[in-house]
Amino acid sequence: MNDKRLTEDPRLKGDIAELKVIEWCLHNGHTPLTPFGGANRCRYDMAYDTGEKIIRVQVKCRSLYQDKLTIQITKQQNGRPGLTLKYTEDEFDQLIVYCPDTNSLYEIPFELFGESNGLVFRTTAPKNNQQSGVKMLDDYLLS
């Protein structure tokens, strides 16, 4: 596959991220579920059955930039670019982010966002040793 296509095609990036989550589900004994007719009918990308309940998952694919991973919790309204809305907590149960640079999945609690539309997670400690408000990516690694 052409690496350039992977970085330029958001649908392909999303498909790869969802496949990584499906793989995680299978390794953890969960049954992956995908919405019929495309994700545009649902506010979540996929779900999985734990045997006790069904978990709705919003899947994001984000790459590192200068040792940081930025996650936006917004969506395009009706697929229209430029018109974005923030997801609400009742639209999905779990936010999982796939980072191709680390080839890892991260579970980001929705409540971390508060009033913000986005968060930044670091892979290395700040050079000024700041600790307050710093979110380390490895703290959210999904095992």
Side-chain angles (χ1 to χ4, degrees):
M1 175 188 323
N2 181 338
D3 287 342
K4 187 176 181 181
R5 182 172 170 224
L6 176 60
T7 59
E8 292 179 356
D9 186 344
R11 289 182 195 237
L12 180 58
K13 287 171 51 174
D15 288 347
I16 291 169
E18 286 182 33
L19 284 171
K20 293 292 186 175
V21 175
I22 288 170
E23 179 183 31
W24 173 85
C25 288
L26 294 171
H27 281 290
N28 286 280
H30 306 314
T31 302
L33 309 167
T34 56
F36 176 76
N40 289 336
R41 295 185 184 159
C42 300
R43 296 295 187 208
Y44 54 92
D45 294 314
M46 60 171 294
Y48 62 89
D49 187 342
T50 67
E52 296 178 11
K53 66 182 192 173
I54 293 176
I55 308 294
R56 301 168 301 159
V57 182
Q58 179 58 231
V59 180
K60 300 284 186 188
C61 181
R62 296 293 182 266
S63 296
L64 295 175
Y65 178 72
Q66 297 181 347
D67 295 328
K68 297 179 191 121
L69 188 82
T70 302
I71 302 168
Q72 298 294 323
I73 194 72
T74 56
K75 58 189 171 191
Q76 290 181 356
Q77 182 163 359
N78 299 323
R80 294 183 289 186
L83 184 57
T84 58
L85 299 172
K86 183 178 178 181
Y87 282 100
T88 60
E89 196 167 0
D90 64 339
E91 293 179 295
F92 55 87
D93 305 308
Q94 189 176 31
L95 172 63
I96 298 178
V97 178
Y98 171 66
C99 177
D101 302 307
T102 63
N103 195 31
S104 298
L105 296 171
Y106 302 91
E107 181 179 14
I108 310 300
F110 188 85
E111 54 272 7
L112 279 181
F113 289 90
E115 296 298 315
S116 175
N117 287 341
L119 292 172
V120 176
F121 296 84
R122 299 184 67 97
T123 59
T124 57
K127 292 179 182 172
N128 65 0
N129 294 322
Q130 176 184 343
Q131 293 182 355
S132 177
V134 174
K135 293 171 183 59
M136 299 303 293
L137 187 59
D138 281 348
D139 291 344
Y140 301 93
L141 189 63
L142 187 62
S143 53

